[in-house]
Amino acid sequence: MQNKLDQHNFTQHFLSAFPELKHSHAKESKDYADDGKTLGHYMATSLLNPRLEESVDFLHRLAAFMEKVCDSEDDVAVNAIWIELFMPLTDQPDRLKLLWPILGSNTRRNITEAAKKLRREKGLPERSF
């Protein structure tokens, strides 16, 4: 697997970060093209978003994965988590406050940008500005 995440290897990186979701992914992803665009959105929405209240270990791996996506600077990969995770999180201040300390700097920056774009800055942890 390549080190740098992009739209073409998003699935590989995703399944490497979340091996417990391989079965769910194989079962549920048949209707999506593995083009990194549609499938990336599906994985963020259907497989990650519902699990935001899972174990601390899962949340740390999620934070690391989101930072890896943000670090990639791949527009399609970043867009998938921006729309499906970051934008909904800006409307969930309690959940965001819980996650904020373990998020990487690029992830926090992207969530802050999403909040500003949606005019939801009030839901951000105070240290984000």
Side-chain angles (χ1 to χ4, degrees):
M1 174 168 42
Q2 298 175 357
N3 285 337
K4 187 166 180 157
L5 185 146
D6 62 27
Q7 64 179 309
H8 304 292
N9 62 17
F10 187 95
T11 300
Q12 292 172 307
H13 282 271
F14 177 88
L15 294 175
S16 177
F18 307 103
E20 70 273 26
L21 299 179
K22 284 181 183 178
H23 178 71
S24 296
H25 166 70
K27 185 177 171 183
E28 298 176 24
S29 67
K30 294 176 184 172
D31 295 335
Y32 296 88
D34 192 3
D35 61 4
K37 295 178 184 178
T38 308
L39 191 56
H41 285 271
Y42 150 75
M43 287 188 282
T45 301
S46 299
L47 298 177
L48 290 179
N49 210 353
R51 291 173 173 83
L52 285 176
E53 297 193 20
E54 295 223 356
S55 71
V56 172
D57 173 65
F58 184 88
L59 294 177
H60 278 275
R61 288 184 291 130
L62 176 60
F65 179 72
M66 291 189 301
E67 187 70 7
K68 189 174 192 176
V69 173
C70 291
D71 286 346
S72 76
E73 298 180 359
D74 182 273
D75 290 340
V76 173
V78 172
N79 188 50
I81 64 169
W82 226 80
I83 291 172
E84 307 301 345
L85 291 175
F86 297 166
M87 290 174 75
L89 276 171
T90 64
D91 202 26
Q92 302 171 33
D94 291 338
R95 190 177 271 180
L96 189 55
K97 185 177 180 180
L98 174 71
L99 289 171
W100 201 259
I102 63 171
L103 297 177
S105 60
N106 283 331
T107 303
R108 288 191 304 266
R109 181 181 48 77
N110 273 280
I111 291 172
T112 300
E113 287 176 19
K116 287 179 180 178
K117 187 171 226 156
L118 297 168
R119 297 183 179 164
R120 296 181 185 159
E121 297 100 324
K122 290 181 183 178
L124 290 172
E126 289 189 32
R127 286 185 265 156
S128 65
F129 290 104

